[in-house]
Amino acid sequence: GLSILNRECTRDYKVPESDVIIQTGTQIIISLLGIGMDEKYFPEPELYRPERFDVRSRAHDPDAFF
């Protein structure tokens, strides 16, 4: 299964609420497990709730759905 995504920053990006700038060309690793288990995006992430993934119900944050 897929547990991480690898991406490359295509333009300088200032991380909100910090002094960190991710520079163009920097390799980024995104943890899908970290997103999938974050209650900010998926309430009660440890519970299997198939309706969460139903396109009609939109019971998930579309920006966090992979």
Side-chain angles (χ1 to χ4, degrees):
L2 197 65
S3 60
I4 61 171
L5 291 177
N6 295 322
R7 295 291 185 260
E8 182 176 316
C9 186
T10 59
R11 61 186 162 118
D12 287 357
Y13 176 77
K14 183 179 182 308
V15 177
E17 301 179 28
S18 80
D19 294 329
V20 175
I21 296 176
I22 302 171
Q23 296 181 343
T24 302
T26 300
Q27 297 294 313
I28 306 296
I29 297 174
I30 302 166
S31 168
L32 295 179
L33 179 61
I35 293 172
M37 295 301 289
D38 190 329
E39 290 196 18
K40 174 181 172 183
Y41 303 113
F42 298 100
E44 300 178 288
E46 70 284 349
L47 297 178
Y48 176 67
R49 299 175 65 185
E51 68 276 5
R52 177 188 329 247
F53 305 104
D54 188 337
V55 178
R56 295 167 293 187
S57 71
R58 292 282 186 213
H60 62 272
D61 182 330
D63 292 333
F65 184 69
F66 291 92

